[in-house]
Amino acid sequence: MAGMKTATGDYIDSSWELRVFVGEEDPEAESVTLRVTGESHIGGVLLKIVEEIKRKQDWSDHAIWWEQKRQWLLQTHWTLDKYGILADARLFFGPQHRPVILRLPNRRALRLRASFSQPLFQAVAAICRLLSIRHPEELSLLRAPEKKEKKKKEKEPEEELYDLTKVVLAGGVAPALFRGMPAHFSDSEQTEACYHMLSRPQPPPDPLVLQRLPRPSSLMDKTQLHSRWLDSSRCLMQQGIKAGDMLWLRFKYYSFFDLDPKTDPVRLTQLYEQARWDLLLEETDCTEEEMMVFAALQYHINKLSQSGEVGELATTDPGLDDLDAALNNLEVKLEGSASTDVLDNLTTIPELKDYLRIFRPLPRPRKLTLKGYRQHWVVFKETTLSYYKSQEEAPGDPIQQLNLKGCEVVPDVNVSGQKFCIKLLVPSPEGMSEICLRCQDEKQYAHWMAGCRLASKGRTMADSSYASEVQAILAFLSLQRTGGAGSGSHPQGPDASAEGLNPYGLVAPRFQRKFKAKQLTPRILEAHQNVAQLSLSEAQLRFIQAWQSLPDFGISYVVVRFKGSRKDEILGIANNRLIRIDLAVGDVVKTWRFSNMRQWNVNWDIRQVAIEFDEHINVAFSCVSASCRIVHEYIGGYIFLSTRERARGEELDEDLFLQLTGGHEAF
Amino acid sequence: MEQLSDEEIDHGAEEDSDKEDQDLDKMFGAWLGELDKLTQSLDSDKPMEPVKRSPLRQETNMANFSYRFSIYNLNEALNQGETVDLDALMADLCSIEQELSSIGAGNSKRQTTETKATQKLPASRHTSKHGTLKGLSSSSNRITKAAHANYSLDDITAQLEQASLSMDEAAQQSVPEDTKPLVTNQHRRTASAGTVSDAEVHSISNSSRSSITSATSSMDSLDIDKVTRPQELDLTHQGQPITEHAISLRCPSKQAKHHTDFTEEQAELTPHSYLDRETSLLLRNIAGKPSHLLTKEEQAAKLKAEKIRVALEKIKEAQVKKLVIRVHMSDDSSKTMMVDERQTVRQVLDNLMDKSHCGYSLDWSLVETISELQMERIFEDHENLVENLLNWTRDSQNKLVFMERIEKYALFKNPQNYLLGKKESAEMADRNKEVLLEECFCGSSVTVPEIEGVLWLKDDGKKSWKKRYFLLRASGIYYVPKGKAKVSRELVCFLQLDHVNVYYGQDYRNKYKAPTDYCLVLKHPQIQKKSQYIKYLCCDDVRTLHQWVNGIRIAKYGKQLYMNYQEALKRTESAYDWTSLSSSSIKSGSSSSSIPESQSNHSNQSDSGVSDTQPAGHVRSQSIVSSIFSEAWKRGTQLEESSK
């Protein structure tokens, strides 16, 4: 061993003193000094350090970090010479896993230990394994935006911070399920609560908070986010992240492979949350109609998760599902033939008859006719609605008879205003006829509404689902009544919105400005009608799908300057194409598809990316808003993700990913 | 051989038949009106059964709809006096026969076995037919006798049944030998037979009134348990007055034709198709009378009518809805077939391809043409045909055309022209096409192509067209309001696609003064007449038109469209497999734009010698049509390019 001395105390071998600090890059930290030679192995050095410290502790996670070279000394069989370490090297003996605070896609904060020594790609994979999110290659970490110094000292409400730092995951095997959650979550109440936070959608945000959050006002703003992505081929330590730092975990690549509600509750929920915030903060634009559908889905999802109907996640037996489906089928069949028993049902076919107020908007061009609602005797039988002047005239010819099969049923309800209207748009060979039925109270409304909904699907009130439909409508109305205060023009914070329907928490702020709450509510309810039957995970999936089908979905924007061009432009990177966008107008100038791409090169010195497409089309640009590494990684990442299709079920090909996204280390 | 000579004699009378059929058609229409009135008066005359009344009435209307509908279609087919393929009808009749025979009395067994024996000898078809006919005429003789001699009721019913059975059988046997003139002749003759029998009714009713009425009631009891057979056919059967059976037996060629004819006759004679002439005559007499003035007999008849009606409604309700449809071929011929409500367009197409021996091609389509609105639409393969056809009105001029349409799956053959939102058409390597399709259709959500641009929108109720900038999104069609920027938040929703279908407009330059003839129409499938709810859009060129139509299809049907295509592709390929034809044709089918020609040549080869019924012009016209189309396509794109 190194450190042979003469009697006078002079070292006679070529050994020298190496100082190693113990701890995480803290110059004040205690240090140990070792006698080493150039031939000393790192493993031996580690052993000596531990001996020197003379403390009993699990050192297995510790390794040496070389500060000047920003490098971990992880190869224990390498010698100091091989690493090139001399006496002046500043070495730190510290843990490889350190706590960080993750801001999840659902905007909640979570403390956990992340690897500071592995490439980020592996670190993220480990985090995802802990959180039980499959396909970690789709996610990555961003630096948290720098907090602006707040002038007025507003007291931020103390945020609940979930802690998973103590949870240790057994390596290798996939975490087993225990009590409906991965076993490592079921250790304590805290971790259980954490799993619920991860796997259940969050309630809608407070509209006031929502309004204060920063939103991009231009394409330029949208490029900001993408400059913060961390480099996936280097470790956190190398990228200047310190223990306790805040990092954002986000889905980076908008190509979601094999989403499965059964195995992916956390992934699905987090993806839903990211989509929701993406829309609420207007990162992705949508139209009014689309926003109403998104709002209705959020409302529905929130309602289901509030009422604790998460139990569906526990049903893991796929056989049961098939059985359910079969039973459903059977039910449908029985219903289909149920109406055949004419004689038996002759006396029992349920019908509704009552005095209702009816309003018939005249077909366009609408003249100013101030005929309002008029009282009529209305008979609703099978799928047909007939109305008469009065009850006495009922045996005669009705004023009008409408077969509601295939019609559109739109509720127009205001509980606080005691308005219970059903709008019907009934198709016929001549066109559509519109008719509004106004009911007196909730009960009447529920019965007629349920009848109309069934009739529009071609079923009668004899159908088995009639009673439950009536109940659902009544429950829905009572929900609105309790939430009546919240749906007023003054939202009362998250508590009120959790109960009833506060539309402002469900739509992007620009709709808050455009519409009053009582204008929004009926529109959301109208859209809700189409999704009311969905289960929680179905609704989340529907939300994600609708988000994916937006034209602006999944485009990451970067400011670039094309070769030969004098002005900055925007490069949009989507999962299958690159888009050149005019910075000022926002128009698409040109689209290149990855499938036509031959190769791409990065010149790290002049920060230029050059891409060659089929038919000798060459494109080159330098990156302005983000480093060209980020653009390079996006392109390589998407190409990597597109190879997954073929290799379904195989282990993640990490080398390929790093090959496609890294590369710059080679220079 | 008496029957054969009859047929020969009738050859000469062919020309007149069409006229007469039209008259019959009118009368049929008139009868339907009468039926409604009568039903109403029946109801109001019967205050003692208030519970039953109303629901029944409604059901009558509903059930009759499909019934009339199918009759109508069949009539239409017959009126044209063309070769009508009644294979499907015959198959159904066959199944009825089997059911009946299991119920029928012992003596009917003899008939059945006899006919079955004949079926086993297809080579000696002619003689066997003769044999059956003999059996038939003997049975018919017996029936006539029975009617006059007041035999026991059961006996009569059994024999009636038997007679109709064997008629079916005979008709089935004779179908292949049928020729065009023959059909119309018989048609005409039975019609005249109807008038004769009308006169005879009185004498019969005098002698055997009670027996006939009770015969009908026993028939009705037989019927009640039958669930799966097409009501329109067997009902007309059973309701036939005896005399007509006797007559119809003399001309045993096209059984289904007789059925319709009979219905028509009944249209003149009786307001209730399912009642025997006797009872309905009685009913007609009572129609105006207050109930206390009715004789016992009349009241009994009325009760009977009521009972039968209830029973029939019950049957109808229980049955799987079936339609007799007429499918026009691209060569102006037509086929008649039966579809049930569970069949998808794909199944019907397969059926038609098998029958018409036209060769398998992806492009075979069922096209709905709405002549009143001058628009057409290719049914998607997954759609339910009956559901769509039930949207037609009773007197509809709409047509169902079976033809090759290259645009049906052009989207998948050259996806680059539709999915990339580019203005110019381009070639693409097959590998890239697959990648593109996979990208678009196989992800977790379908990517709706970004289609946008200026289209002309027709003003409501006017013949003026306005330019607007439209965009297609998954959630619907939007336009940019005047003076606004083209960003999502400013867009105004023009239409959501859940409730509308997309149609091609035809010749709107003349009809609506459209700027071009490349028009698309969006409407609810139930709308059949001019309405403000129909939206008309006009494109500058054919390419834009197809991009929009296909874009809308993708937005509306999503992945289903791609599944349809793959399914169709599978069918086509498997068809080629067993005909052991070169695989090159498949390739050309999936990639090149000159498919229709090659395909139809192909079908020519495979067809030669197989089907005599298919006129040679058929194939030719297909290829002409499709080549015209592809020509137009090329021209359209060339124009586009040159204008740049």
Side-chain angles (χ1 to χ4, degrees):
Chain A
M1 279 305 280
M4 279 169 67
K5 280 190 268 187
T6 58
T8 56
D10 295 328
Y11 288 99
I12 53 163
D13 58 0
S14 57
S15 70
W16 36 276
E17 283 196 340
L18 181 69
R19 192 171 177 216
V20 178
F21 296 92
V22 180
E24 303 168 8
E25 266 195 288
D26 180 8
E28 310 285 300
E30 61 173 309
S31 62
V32 289
T33 310
L34 315 168
R35 193 85 202 163
V36 293
T37 65
E39 275 83 51
S40 299
H41 292 267
I42 298 293
V45 174
L46 287 173
L47 208 65
K48 265 193 179 172
I49 296 171
V50 174
E51 277 169 10
E52 285 291 320
I53 297 172
K54 293 187 186 104
R55 230 186 300 145
K56 286 216 167 167
Q57 189 184 334
D58 178 13
W59 299 105
S60 61
D61 191 43
H62 280 55
I64 299 170
W65 167 252
W66 185 3
E67 195 189 55
Q68 289 103 329
K69 283 270 172 111
R70 311 199 61 72
Q71 185 183 6
W72 287 92
L73 310 180
L74 294 174
Q75 306 287 349
T76 48
H77 58 280
W78 280 25
T79 59
L80 293 177
D81 280 350
K82 190 163 182 186
Y83 269 116
I85 291 170
L86 298 172
D88 63 344
R90 277 173 68 82
L91 301 180
F92 290 86
F93 181 65
Q96 295 179 52
H97 287 82
R98 300 178 190 184
V100 287
I101 298 173
L102 278 192
R103 178 73 67 190
L104 298 171
N106 65 0
R107 311 260 150 169
R108 305 301 287 264
L110 174 73
R111 233 158 77 98
L112 48 68
R113 285 183 184 279
S115 165
F116 271 60
S117 61
Q118 287 171 311
L120 185 73
F121 185 75
Q122 289 172 11
V124 171
I127 291 172
C128 288
R129 212 157 71 84
L130 183 69
L131 303 182
S132 70
I133 297 173
R134 292 194 308 146
H135 294 291
E137 66 273 18
E138 291 162 5
L139 295 95
S140 191
L141 296 174
L142 298 119
R143 282 170 221 276
E146 278 162 39
K147 274 189 184 162
K148 285 169 197 158
E149 289 292 317
K150 283 199 174 151
K151 282 170 189 169
K152 39 181 181 175
K153 282 201 174 174
E154 238 181 276
K155 270 202 175 175
E156 290 265 321
E158 199 59 35
E159 191 185 20
E160 193 179 357
L161 187 65
Y162 294 89
D163 198 345
L164 281 181
T165 47
K166 293 187 182 63
V167 173
V168 185
L169 211 52
V173 287
L177 279 182
F178 181 70
R179 282 196 288 145
M181 63 186 82
H184 58 275
F185 280 112
S186 56
D187 291 344
S188 69
E189 268 179 43
Q190 282 81 14
T191 52
E192 221 167 283
C194 179
Y195 183 73
H196 288 320
M197 178 275 291
L198 285 167
S199 62
R200 287 184 194 172
Q202 300 292 305
D206 184 348
L208 294 174
V209 174
L210 191 58
Q211 262 172 334
R212 276 207 307 274
L213 286 171
R215 294 185 302 277
S217 59
S218 65
L219 269 181
M220 203 62 172
D221 288 353
K222 289 182 188 175
T223 63
Q224 294 306 314
L225 176 81
H226 299 289
S227 60
R228 307 205 315 261
W229 288 109
L230 291 174
D231 185 351
S232 53
S233 54
R234 295 192 299 158
C235 66
L236 285 176
M237 200 75 173
Q238 284 169 327
Q239 304 186 55
I241 306 296
K242 294 189 179 60
D245 275 3
M246 165 84 79
L247 294 171
W248 286 12
L249 178 70
R250 289 287 185 276
F251 291 88
K252 178 179 181 183
Y253 302 102
Y254 295 91
S255 164
F256 314 117
F257 190 60
D258 187 25
L259 266 181
D260 179 2
K262 286 266 154 8
T263 52
D264 285 340
V266 177
R267 181 168 172 230
L268 190 66
T269 305
Q270 296 304 322
L271 191 52
Y272 157 73
E273 292 282 355
Q274 184 164 336
R276 182 241 288 252
W277 283 100
D278 185 60
L279 290 160
L280 288 182
L281 295 182
E282 299 171 21
E283 290 276 353
T284 302
D285 252 342
C286 66
T287 66
E288 219 172 281
E289 286 73 19
E290 286 156 356
M291 194 77 231
M292 295 309 142
V293 175
F294 286 123
L297 280 166
Q298 285 180 70
Y299 168 71
H300 185 66
I301 289 166
N302 184 46
K303 200 179 71 175
L304 288 180
S305 73
Q306 295 279 318
S307 61
E309 286 176 38
V310 210
E312 56 168 348
L313 298 174
T315 59
T316 45
D317 188 0
L320 273 180
D321 289 346
D322 294 344
L323 191 66
D324 277 351
L327 279 174
N328 271 337
N329 267 338
L330 189 66
E331 195 181 358
V332 169
K333 271 186 205 154
L334 287 176
E335 275 161 10
S337 58
S339 56
T340 59
D341 256 342
V342 180
L343 282 179
D344 297 350
N345 285 349
L346 218 48
T347 49
T348 54
I349 284 180
E351 54 177 34
L352 291 172
K353 34 185 153 185
D354 212 338
Y355 276 107
L356 293 181
R357 280 179 292 167
I358 286 184
F359 172 55
R360 284 185 55 75
L362 291 171
R364 276 171 287 169
R366 278 179 189 150
K367 285 167 197 157
L368 274 175
T369 44
L370 290 171
K371 276 189 193 168
Y373 284 90
R374 283 204 172 173
Q375 188 98 325
H376 284 288
W377 176 252
V378 193
V379 177
F380 187 11
K381 202 181 297 165
E382 301 263 295
T383 60
T384 309
L385 193 81
S386 338
Y387 62 91
Y388 307 85
K389 231 175 183 175
S390 67
Q391 190 173 3
E392 289 68 41
E393 293 187 20
D397 285 334
I399 299 173
Q400 200 185 16
Q401 197 166 31
L402 296 163
N403 189 346
L404 300 191
K405 201 172 170 184
C407 78
E408 287 178 53
V409 187
V410 180
D412 182 5
V413 177
N414 186 340
V415 180
S416 52
Q418 285 296 298
K419 182 187 176 194
F420 303 100
C421 287
I422 305 168
K423 276 193 208 163
L424 300 171
L425 199 59
V426 189
S428 68
E430 287 76 31
M432 303 287 226
S433 17
E434 290 173 50
I435 185 168
C436 297
L437 307 177
R438 183 159 190 164
C439 303
Q440 281 156 359
D441 53 28
E442 286 177 28
K443 211 179 147 204
Q444 193 184 41
Y445 168 80
H447 281 94
W448 285 79
M449 187 66 183
C452 288
R453 280 193 190 158
L454 285 177
S456 76
K457 290 174 205 147
R459 300 197 219 155
T460 70
M461 285 173 278
D463 195 283
S464 55
S465 61
Y466 178 64
S468 62
E469 184 79 43
V470 172
Q471 284 313 310
I473 293 167
L474 279 174
F476 188 66
L477 288 175
S478 70
L479 205 64
Q480 266 188 277
R481 199 172 43 224
T482 51
S487 66
S489 51
H490 298 291
Q492 297 174 342
D495 292 340
S497 63
E499 270 298 306
L501 173 63
N502 181 358
Y504 280 168
L506 306 173
V507 295
R510 70 187 166 97
F511 295 102
Q512 296 183 20
R513 293 190 295 273
K514 197 169 170 185
F515 297 107
K516 286 179 186 155
K518 65 177 178 191
Q519 289 174 304
L520 273 178
T521 309
R523 295 194 62 178
I524 296 175
L525 289 184
E526 183 188 330
H528 178 256
Q529 196 195 190
N530 296 326
V531 298
Q533 305 303 323
L534 299 179
S535 76
L536 180 60
S537 50
E538 280 171 346
Q540 286 182 324
L541 261 182
R542 179 77 69 87
F543 191 96
I544 294 165
Q545 280 166 358
W547 175 54
Q548 283 176 298
S549 60
L550 293 175
D552 291 344
F553 158 81
I555 303 176
S556 312
Y557 300 97
V558 193
V559 181
V560 296
R561 181 166 295 188
F562 280 90
K563 201 175 169 185
S565 170
R566 289 175 157 220
K567 59 179 197 301
D568 284 349
E569 280 169 280
I570 302 267
L571 180 74
I573 309 165
N575 63 0
N576 56 5
R577 65 199 192 277
L578 295 173
I579 311 159
R580 183 175 180 173
I581 301 168
D582 189 303
L583 181 60
V585 193
D587 282 348
V588 174
V589 179
K590 184 97 181 113
T591 303
W592 301 279
R593 303 177 55 77
F594 289 149
S595 56
N596 295 337
M597 198 160 84
R598 288 258 170 99
Q599 59 167 338
W600 80 103
N601 300 299
V602 185
N603 185 333
W604 301 102
D605 295 332
I606 56 170
R607 288 162 51 97
Q608 195 185 59
V609 181
I611 309 175
E612 187 191 336
F613 293 96
D614 284 349
E615 293 160 23
H616 309 292
I617 300 167
N618 286 294
V619 178
F621 51 84
S622 55
C623 304
V624 179
S625 71
S627 85
C628 58
R629 187 186 299 138
I630 286 171
V631 174
H632 164 63
E633 220 178 88
Y634 256 123
I635 296 174
Y638 275 129
I639 286 168
F640 171 75
L641 296 188
S642 68
T643 63
R644 289 185 299 179
E645 250 58 40
R646 275 155 253 154
R648 177 185 280 263
E650 274 176 33
E651 277 292 298
L652 204 51
D653 190 348
E654 187 194 325
D655 289 342
L656 180 63
F657 181 85
L658 292 179
Q659 237 171 36
L660 283 168
T661 58
H664 52 281
E665 294 294 337
F667 294 97
Chain B
M1 292 306 283
E2 194 189 324
Q3 287 76 25
L4 286 179
S5 61
D6 265 54
E7 287 163 12
E8 278 158 23
I9 293 163
D10 285 330
H11 272 245
E14 187 194 348
E15 291 83 15
D16 311 353
S17 60
D18 275 8
K19 220 189 230 171
E20 208 166 304
D21 289 344
Q22 279 164 15
D23 290 344
L24 281 172
D25 223 18
K26 270 185 204 160
M27 284 188 270
F28 184 54
W31 165 70
L32 286 171
E34 217 182 322
L35 172 67
D36 283 343
K37 267 189 228 157
L38 259 154
T39 343
Q40 280 174 25
S41 59
L42 250 179
D43 291 337
S44 51
D45 280 348
K46 284 203 144 189
M48 54 278 211
E49 287 178 318
V51 198
K52 284 185 181 181
R53 199 180 57 213
S54 328
L56 264 179
R57 183 172 143 204
Q58 211 177 25
E59 281 147 27
T60 320
N61 292 343
M62 274 168 50
N64 270 356
F65 181 67
S66 61
Y67 172 40
R68 289 174 197 167
F69 184 84
S70 45
I71 296 281
Y72 169 75
N73 272 284
L74 191 55
N75 282 345
E76 197 199 354
L78 297 171
N79 289 346
Q80 307 283 320
E82 290 155 355
T83 336
V84 176
D85 174 25
L86 290 172
D87 290 356
L89 299 184
M90 289 311 136
D92 278 295
L93 288 171
C94 217
S95 67
I96 296 164
E97 182 238 19
Q98 277 169 6
E99 279 175 62
L100 269 174
S101 59
S102 62
I103 300 164
N107 60 344
S108 69
K109 241 179 213 165
R110 188 182 53 83
Q111 289 277 333
T112 325
T113 42
E114 187 183 301
T115 46
K116 268 188 186 152
T118 60
Q119 276 175 322
K120 280 173 195 161
L121 300 164
S124 61
R125 201 187 277 154
H126 196 80
T127 33
S128 67
K129 177 192 166 196
H130 183 58
T132 329
L133 294 179
K134 260 192 174 167
L136 273 177
S137 43
S138 69
S139 74
S140 69
N141 286 340
R142 239 186 298 146
I143 293 167
T144 343
K145 237 200 297 177
H148 287 285
N150 240 343
Y151 270 22
S152 83
L153 298 176
D154 291 357
D155 202 351
I156 292 176
T157 336
Q159 285 181 358
L160 263 174
E161 236 177 79
Q162 199 188 334
S164 55
L165 274 185
S166 35
M167 275 199 317
D168 294 351
E169 198 55 53
Q172 199 183 353
Q173 294 288 325
S174 58
V175 167
E177 278 134 1
D178 251 323
T179 53
K180 197 164 115 182
L182 216 165
V183 172
T184 33
N185 287 336
Q186 278 153 12
H187 180 54
R188 181 176 167 269
R189 201 188 41 193
T190 23
S192 60
T195 34
V196 175
S197 62
D198 188 22
E200 282 173 344
V201 163
H202 297 284
S203 60
I204 299 169
S205 61
N206 285 337
S207 60
S208 60
R209 173 179 293 162
S210 58
S211 67
I212 292 172
T213 42
S214 46
T216 29
S217 67
S218 64
M219 268 180 245
D220 113 46
S221 66
L222 266 173
D223 269 349
I224 290 171
D225 297 321
K226 296 272 178 301
V227 175
T228 48
R229 76 183 104 111
Q231 78 270 17
E232 57 266 42
L233 294 180
D234 85 327
L235 290 179
T236 33
H237 253 302
Q238 308 246 335
Q240 289 318 305
I242 294 155
T243 42
E244 275 192 23
H245 270 287
I247 293 165
S248 63
L249 287 171
R250 296 209 327 262
C251 37
S253 61
K254 286 248 164 179
Q255 190 53 46
K257 214 163 281 268
H258 291 302
H259 294 316
T260 27
D261 295 345
F262 292 150
T263 332
E264 282 175 12
E265 286 157 38
Q266 282 182 320
E268 322 163 37
L269 297 170
T270 67
H272 301 276
S273 61
Y274 42 82
L275 291 184
D276 59 305
R277 204 169 299 249
E278 161 65 20
T279 322
S280 51
L281 272 176
L282 266 177
L283 282 176
R284 188 181 281 187
N285 292 336
I286 10 167
K289 287 187 200 169
S291 56
H292 62 273
L293 290 178
L294 295 178
T295 65
K296 233 183 195 173
E297 203 170 31
E298 283 168 330
Q299 264 178 344
K302 214 167 105 178
L303 261 173
K304 188 140 294 155
E306 197 63 34
K307 262 191 196 162
I308 294 170
R309 204 153 53 109
V310 171
L312 290 181
E313 299 314 336
K314 198 169 156 183
I315 296 163
K316 281 174 189 169
E317 281 290 323
Q319 274 170 347
V320 174
K321 219 176 271 165
K322 288 191 181 180
L323 284 189
V324 176
I325 58 164
R326 179 177 182 218
V327 183
H328 296 256
M329 313 309 249
S330 42
D331 63 346
D332 291 337
S333 71
S334 70
K335 277 188 196 302
T336 307
M337 63 189 296
M338 185 173 288
V339 286
D340 82 38
E341 61 181 339
R342 292 159 304 187
Q343 277 182 305
T344 62
V345 170
R346 178 78 251 156
Q347 288 168 321
V348 177
L349 277 175
D350 287 345
N351 219 335
L352 277 165
M353 284 197 283
D354 276 344
K355 280 197 186 131
S356 57
H357 308 287
C358 55
Y360 287 83
S361 146
L362 284 175
D363 297 327
W364 284 111
S365 322
L366 274 178
V367 182
E368 172 192 30
T369 61
I370 305 178
S371 47
E372 187 170 345
L373 297 168
Q374 280 181 228
M375 55 175 82
E376 61 171 30
R377 176 171 88 94
I378 300 173
F379 283 132
E380 303 297 344
D381 282 354
H382 67 278
E383 284 185 276
N384 181 300
L385 187 62
V386 171
E387 208 170 87
N388 274 297
L389 295 183
L390 285 180
N391 287 330
W392 294 5
T393 54
R394 188 175 60 80
D395 53 347
S396 174
Q397 298 296 307
N398 295 2
K399 273 188 193 170
L400 193 62
V401 188
F402 176 64
M403 62 195 296
E404 277 187 301
R405 292 291 290 259
I406 186 175
E407 62 272 45
K408 185 179 185 187
Y409 286 127
L411 162 64
F412 299 104
K413 290 173 189 162
N414 284 298
Q416 73 278 11
N417 292 342
Y418 300 93
L419 301 179
L420 299 180
K422 282 185 190 159
K423 297 281 192 299
E424 72 283 350
S425 59
E427 281 301 307
M428 194 184 232
D430 284 355
R431 185 183 54 85
N432 286 343
K433 285 180 186 174
E434 268 172 45
V435 171
L436 187 58
L437 286 174
E438 236 167 63
E439 229 173 67
C440 180
F441 291 99
C442 299
S444 48
S445 77
V446 168
T447 324
V448 174
E450 289 177 37
I451 301 174
E452 53 178 68
V454 176
L455 298 180
W456 301 84
L457 169 66
K458 184 178 165 298
D459 276 345
D460 280 347
K462 286 182 218 149
K463 285 189 179 175
S464 61
W465 298 72
K466 272 184 195 153
K467 272 189 176 180
R468 276 239 163 96
Y469 197 90
F470 284 94
L471 299 99
L472 179 70
R473 296 170 76 102
S475 57
I477 301 174
Y478 293 78
Y479 65 86
V480 183
K482 268 180 198 136
K484 299 278 182 166
K486 200 189 75 183
V487 290
S488 301
R489 55 185 68 187
E490 302 287 4
L491 298 181
V492 175
C493 186
F494 171 65
L495 257 184
Q496 288 180 315
L497 300 170
D498 306 334
H499 297 285
V500 295
N501 284 336
V502 59
Y503 296 77
Y504 287 102
Q506 292 166 321
D507 197 24
Y508 281 178
R509 219 168 355 186
N510 284 328
K511 190 176 167 82
Y512 295 126
K513 291 204 174 116
T516 73
D517 263 336
Y518 312 116
C519 294
L520 64 117
V521 189
L522 294 150
K523 76 166 184 71
H524 192 287
Q526 264 173 280
I527 299 177
Q528 300 287 321
K529 304 217 161 60
K530 265 190 197 176
S531 155
Q532 49 160 333
Y533 294 95
I534 303 178
K535 302 292 177 197
Y536 303 89
L537 292 173
C538 183
C539 312
D540 282 332
D541 53 64
V542 67
R543 191 190 160 71
T544 320
L545 173 69
H546 287 292
Q547 280 188 336
W548 272 95
V549 171
N550 281 300
I552 292 168
R553 286 168 73 202
I554 295 173
K556 193 170 161 58
Y557 304 112
K559 201 177 268 180
Q560 181 69 52
L561 211 55
Y562 190 48
M563 281 153 60
N564 287 349
Y565 169 71
Q566 286 176 319
E567 181 71 10
L569 205 59
K570 238 194 297 178
R571 301 290 170 93
T572 321
E573 276 167 7
S574 65
Y576 279 115
D577 278 349
W578 61 258
T579 46
S580 69
L581 288 163
S582 65
S583 61
S584 63
S585 51
I586 303 169
K587 275 210 173 131
S588 72
S590 62
S591 58
S592 85
S593 59
S594 60
I595 348 120
E597 284 88 350
S598 63
Q599 290 285 21
S600 43
N601 288 342
H602 199 77
S603 58
N604 235 344
Q605 290 161 16
S606 63
D607 281 346
S608 56
V610 177
S611 104
D612 305 339
T613 50
Q614 189 189 12
H618 187 178
V619 174
R620 212 178 302 129
S621 67
Q622 283 155 20
S623 62
I624 289 170
V625 167
S626 43
S627 66
I628 287 172
F629 180 82
S630 58
E631 277 304 304
W633 180 277
K634 272 178 213 155
R635 250 181 283 130
T637 48
Q638 277 163 6
L639 272 177
E640 179 81 17
E641 276 157 17
S642 61
S643 65
K644 269 183 187 167

